[in-house]
Amino acid sequence: PHPGPAQGGQAAYGYPHPAPPYATAPYTQQGYGAGRPPTAPKGRRPGPVFWIIGATVLVIALIVGGGVWYANSGTDETPVAKDKDDKKDKDGKGDGTGTDDPAAGPAKEKAPADPSARQLFSVPMIYTGAGSRVYELPGSWLTGKVYAKTGLSEINGYDAVAGNRVWNLKLPGPVCSASGFQSDEGLTAVLHKSARPTKADGGQCDRITVFDVRTGKTVWTKGVGSGEGSAVFTEVTVGGGTVAAGGSRGGYGWDLESGDQVWSPKPGDECYDVGYQGGSGGLAVIRKCTINTDQDQLSVQKLDPKDGSVSSEYKMPPGIDFAHILSVSPLVVGADVNEAAEDGSGISDFFSIDGRTGKLRARWPADAKTYGASCDAVAVSGCANFAVGGDRLYVPTEEHQGKKEAYSRTNEIVAFDLATGKLTGQRLDAGEDWELRPLRMDGPRLLAYRAGPYDQGSQVVSVDTRTMKTEVLLKTPDDQRSGSTIRHFVHEFSEILFGNGRLYFGQTMPEEEKKPVAPEEGVPYLALSFGGTH
């Protein structure tokens, strides 16, 4: 099944991914997993069977004007992990408790004298053949030297500039979902099947593998039970030095480095963890309790990643079947209250919550016809088309008619104050025939993807969030062939990563059969990258 419904708008890309980058959006998580002693397994969370077919962690969103889908988390401070010989930031270590705003550090991406970019490399599209029962290839990651992308029951690492394959990690089955976060040391997690699917048996998503993005080496692989008794998972994330996954038996947590189980569902618990969100702010969970046969109670809990204990809790109001965590620190949640969002975006209201006390800071409606943020219907971490930083939530408006000809289209990025839920008045216009979508925060600055007309290249821009003035960090070639290739590449489900001045596109859906493509339509790739010509 597809990762999520078509959304208008982590469109610069985003996800439900899903994520949601969409993807969920694959940026470095600072300061967790280092020097923490193994924690003994501890009982936590539910037992009722919870499995929704087709659920996925990767978030997906559509850039309406440019025809772009992509993935991102929207909240993390830096886009790449450090390679072994890279120097570590002096302030790159934190306790993972989620007390720091991702916009607190300095911006790392600098505008070059000439932002013009050339194509660096491409990775051929994967053709699965009929009846493969492999429908998605979620997951892409970036370090200073490696770009990694999910393949068919494998993950490949490529030189971030030259594009030659530098490592290959074989998996027993295809990847079902991927964490959008990695540790400062380059560790991340994927959820995958324990065997390749057959025409008779699609297989179960029952294994978690943690690997090093820099080297491709497996750190550990875990599952819960075996055979028909194994736990089936729906999504996985990384935060605060812990890997957390929710699924058929509730929620589980493992130490990121050792693989020691940190928590598991408690027998007899009437409540269960639906899913988790991670990142540099730690971990948060959506927990569901059944009040009666007709009513469920959802709660948003901030967790201590070391043992899964609850640091704070906010009980969501009635009328909400699914809630989605956009950001752990600051804690921001999106939900479709009483199914008021009729466009499939999964968001009718935003909630800003104090992560320390669990008290509601602000709640405000988000008209789905006006704003372009979106969430996968069931994935907790599956939101896209947004960025959070400086105690503000940045979202795009939906594409609308421009000021010139009737066919002219454009949109804007606007900001909400998380303390009040009100618009701040900050507004960034895309320009006639252009469309903007937030990617993520870069310290106090906002990074955004700007998709242009067919005869002009796309851009990655850095935005001063005080003045909303922009600097162009990268611009793809203006020629129509390059534009067609990019549009063809991202016209369905894809991820977009930007780091160290380079732009990477990654498809999350393979194709069954190779079909003839006219030159003017561009070429389908699994991955495509652009970098500076200087």
Side-chain angles (χ1 to χ4, degrees), residues 230-464:
S230 62
V232 177
F233 301 106
T234 56
E235 56 182 313
V236 64
T237 193
V238 171
T242 297
V243 177
S248 65
R249 294 182 175 180
Y252 291 79
W254 297 271
D255 182 273
L256 179 64
E257 294 185 331
S258 69
D260 292 339
Q261 193 170 94
V262 181
W263 69 77
S264 61
K266 182 181 295 185
D269 196 340
E270 295 296 328
C271 305
Y272 66 95
D273 291 357
V274 177
Y276 304 87
Q277 177 65 290
S280 57
L283 282 174
V285 63
I286 297 296
R287 187 163 167 81
K288 178 179 286 190
C289 299
T290 300
I291 299 176
N292 53 53
T293 56
D294 299 321
Q295 186 178 7
D296 289 327
Q297 172 67 62
L298 295 187
S299 296
V300 183
Q301 296 178 342
K302 188 77 177 292
L303 304 181
D304 183 340
K306 293 181 175 64
D307 58 13
S309 60
V310 179
S311 301
S312 66
E313 179 180 36
Y314 170 73
K315 291 186 176 181
M316 300 292 289
I320 301 176
D321 293 324
F322 295 97
H324 321 279
I325 302 174
L326 283 73
S327 168
V328 174
S329 180
L331 187 53
V332 182
V333 174
D336 187 0
V337 182
N338 295 319
E339 300 181 354
E342 299 178 351
D343 66 338
S345 67
I347 302 176
S348 67
D349 293 74
F350 287 113
F351 299 78
S352 174
I353 302 165
D354 188 318
R356 293 183 181 275
T357 66
K359 293 182 178 180
L360 181 68
R361 300 179 66 199
R363 171 186 172 180
W364 65 98
D367 183 2
K369 295 180 179 179
T370 303
Y371 303 109
S374 58
C375 296
D376 179 271
V378 297
V380 168
S381 59
C383 296
N385 262 1
F386 73 94
V388 177
D391 213 33
R392 286 176 169 80
L393 169 64
Y394 297 92
V395 298
T397 62
E398 293 286 4
E399 184 191 43
H400 56 82
Q401 184 175 323
K403 298 178 180 179
K404 295 181 179 179
E405 301 86 350
Y407 57 81
S408 176
R409 308 296 290 175
T410 189
N411 83 324
E412 303 80 30
I413 289 177
V414 297
F416 289 98
D417 187 327
L418 294 182
T420 64
K422 296 180 179 180
L423 287 167
T424 64
Q426 294 167 300
R427 172 189 174 114
L428 178 63
D429 295 322
E432 294 293 318
D433 297 321
W434 291 77
E435 185 176 8
L436 279 164
R437 289 296 181 268
L439 297 183
R440 63 177 176 85
M441 299 303 296
D442 177 29
R445 300 184 70 89
L446 170 69
L447 299 187
Y449 183 88
R450 187 169 180 250
Y454 74 95
D455 59 347
Q456 296 190 50
S458 299
Q459 299 177 357
V460 175
V461 297
S462 176
V463 186
D464 185 325

Side-chain angles (χ1 to χ4, degrees), residues 138-152:
S140 60
W141 303 266
L142 191 61
T143 76
K145 296 184 178 180
V146 174
Y147 168 74
K149 180 74 190 86
T150 299
L152 203 60

Side-chain angles (χ1 to χ4, degrees), residues 49-318:
V49 173
F50 178 70
W51 174 240
I52 299 178
I53 297 188
T56 169
V57 69
L58 190 60
V59 185
I60 299 183
L62 171 67
I63 290 185
V64 180
V68 178
W69 290 80
Y70 30 71
N72 96 348
S73 65
T75 60
D76 260 332
E77 181 179 342
T78 57
V80 296
K82 298 178 181 66
D83 289 281
K84 288 183 177 179
D85 55 354
D86 290 339
K87 294 181 179 179
K88 295 182 180 294
D89 292 339
K90 293 180 180 179
D91 58 352
K93 296 295 178 183
D95 59 7
T97 57
T99 58
D100 296 327
D101 189 292
K108 299 180 184 293
E109 301 293 340
K110 306 300 181 183
D114 180 7
S116 300
R118 60 181 175 85
Q119 182 177 318
L120 296 177
F121 65 89
S122 61
V123 178
M125 172 55 70
I126 288 178
Y127 300 96
T128 62
S132 72
R133 303 189 72 166
V134 176
Y135 308 105
E136 54 187 342
L137 302 170
S140 60
W141 303 266
L142 191 61
T143 76
K145 296 184 178 180
V146 174
Y147 168 74
K149 180 74 190 86
T150 299
L152 203 60
S153 297
E154 65 181 3
I155 302 172
N156 293 301
Y158 304 91
D159 183 285
V161 177
N164 54 295
R165 192 169 75 173
V166 294
W167 57 256
N168 170 256
L169 172 60
K170 297 292 186 184
L171 297 170
V175 172
C176 308
S177 90
S179 171
F181 304 101
Q182 55 181 297
S183 74
D184 193 46
E185 292 73 31
L187 303 187
T188 193
V190 293
L191 164 63
H192 59 89
K193 296 183 179 182
S194 53
R196 293 197 178 194
T198 65
K199 291 184 178 181
D201 183 10
Q204 295 182 330
C205 300
D206 56 1
R207 290 292 180 271
I208 307 291
T209 289
V210 168
F211 68 98
D212 189 327
V213 180
R214 302 164 302 175
T215 65
K217 293 182 178 180
T218 298
V219 179
W220 54 263
T221 296
K222 297 281 184 178
V224 179
S226 61
E228 294 184 358
S230 62
V232 177
F233 301 106
T234 56
E235 56 182 313
V236 64
T237 193
V238 171
T242 297
V243 177
S248 65
R249 294 182 175 180
Y252 291 79
W254 297 271
D255 182 273
L256 179 64
E257 294 185 331
S258 69
D260 292 339
Q261 193 170 94
V262 181
W263 69 77
S264 61
K266 182 181 295 185
D269 196 340
E270 295 296 328
C271 305
Y272 66 95
D273 291 357
V274 177
Y276 304 87
Q277 177 65 290
S280 57
L283 282 174
V285 63
I286 297 296
R287 187 163 167 81
K288 178 179 286 190
C289 299
T290 300
I291 299 176
N292 53 53
T293 56
D294 299 321
Q295 186 178 7
D296 289 327
Q297 172 67 62
L298 295 187
S299 296
V300 183
Q301 296 178 342
K302 188 77 177 292
L303 304 181
D304 183 340
K306 293 181 175 64
D307 58 13
S309 60
V310 179
S311 301
S312 66
E313 179 180 36
Y314 170 73
K315 291 186 176 181
M316 300 292 289

